[in-house]
Every structure is written in structure tokens, then in C-alpha cells.
Amino acid sequence: MNVTRLAEMANDIAHYFDAEPDHAAAIDSMVLHLQRFWEPRMREQIVLYLQENDGAGLSSFARESIAELARRSHAPPR
């Protein structure tokens, strides 16, 4: 998928969850949304985009959420 479109989608999702008053819960909700509804390739592409382009074009909330997604993706299983 086109990474520019993924960034737009991530920003749209971030805009929805950023309205949550509890910032930690909002980040968690966005990460869970990406894990549930985005294909692994999409998640890999957006994480790589964040890492390679410093998240250019992503909202600060989207950048923070995608960084958390990356962290959780590389965490050892519980």
C-alpha cells in the first residue's frame, strides 16, 4: 500500500483517539486498533516510515502511537 495513504489513515485514526482525555488509554486504543485492523504489512510499512522519515506528515499523536506499536511489536512474549 502507498505509504502516503497509510500516513493519512494513521492521522485520521489518531484524530479519533486523541479526543480521549486519558492520553495513555488513547495511545493504547490506537495501538490496539492498528493491531486488530491493519494487516502486518501495513503495520510494518508505517513503522518503517516513522523510523526512516522521522514521521514527517504524521501528527504527534500518530507518531507517538506508532512508536508504541513498534515497541510492542519487538517486545518479548509474555
Side-chain angles (χ1 to χ4, degrees), residues 5-58:
R5 180 66 186 126
L6 288 177
E8 291 170 357
M9 291 169 54
N11 282 334
D12 289 343
I13 296 164
H15 180 73
Y16 175 82
F17 286 113
D18 195 23
E20 166 68 46
D22 181 337
H23 186 74
I27 295 290
D28 188 54
S29 294
M30 180 159 172
V31 170
L32 290 175
H33 178 90
L34 295 175
Q35 290 173 327
R36 288 181 183 149
F37 299 109
W38 282 31
E39 295 179 3
R41 289 181 315 210
M42 294 167 69
R43 293 192 305 265
E44 290 170 10
Q45 278 184 285
I46 200 67
V47 166
L48 187 59
Y49 179 78
L50 174 69
Q51 293 168 345
E52 291 180 347
N53 300 294
D54 202 29
L58 292 170

